[in-house]
């Protein structure tokens, strides 16, 4: 198992997660102490969590409903300036 620092995980999270997705296990240290282990997802574990109700599946719809785009004559920058009291 390769070990990386918390800082390396923060700065290179995309690359680290790609390594894990490809089957690697990566330990994460904080101040030199092992604090986490990133492992590839195990479909059996996910199925167990799903069966126990601990997995929340993504949905295609927002609980708030569809959003509408609103056009306004005032540009955003001017609206923000007005809200800040800068104009």
């Amino acid at each position: 198992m390769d070990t990386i620092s918390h800082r390396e995980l923060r700065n290179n999270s995309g690359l680290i997660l790609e390594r894990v997705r490809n089957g690697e296990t990566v330990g994460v240290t904080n101040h030199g102490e092992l604090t986490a282990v990133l492992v590839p997802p195990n479909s059996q574990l996910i199925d167990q969590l799903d069966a126990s109700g601990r997995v929340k599946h993504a949905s295609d719809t927002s609980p708030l409903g569809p959003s509408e785009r609103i056009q306004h004559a005032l540009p955003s920058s001017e609206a923000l300036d007005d809200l800040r009291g800068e104009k």
Side-chain angles (χ1 to χ4, degrees):
M1 172 176 69
D2 190 21
T3 304
I4 61 168
S5 68
H6 168 254
R7 178 174 288 166
E8 186 177 347
L9 175 62
R10 183 188 66 217
N11 293 339
N12 301 304
S13 61
L15 295 173
I16 303 300
L17 291 176
E18 184 66 29
R19 287 172 50 191
V20 172
R21 181 189 344 220
N22 290 330
E24 249 184 276
T25 297
V26 179
V28 182
T29 62
N30 196 18
H31 302 291
E33 181 182 339
L34 184 65
T35 55
V37 178
L38 300 175
V39 296
N42 174 329
S43 61
Q44 184 180 17
L45 174 61
I46 293 172
D47 290 342
Q48 289 172 353
L49 291 171
D50 191 20
S52 71
R54 296 178 64 194
V55 173
K56 182 174 181 179
H57 295 276
S59 67
D60 292 335
T61 59
S62 166
L64 302 175
S67 59
E68 245 181 75
R69 186 176 191 108
I70 299 172
Q71 295 292 329
H72 197 279
L74 189 64
S76 308
S77 59
E78 289 183 30
L80 288 171
D81 287 343
D82 184 47
L83 288 169
R84 293 180 186 131
E86 295 176 0
K87 271 197 167 183

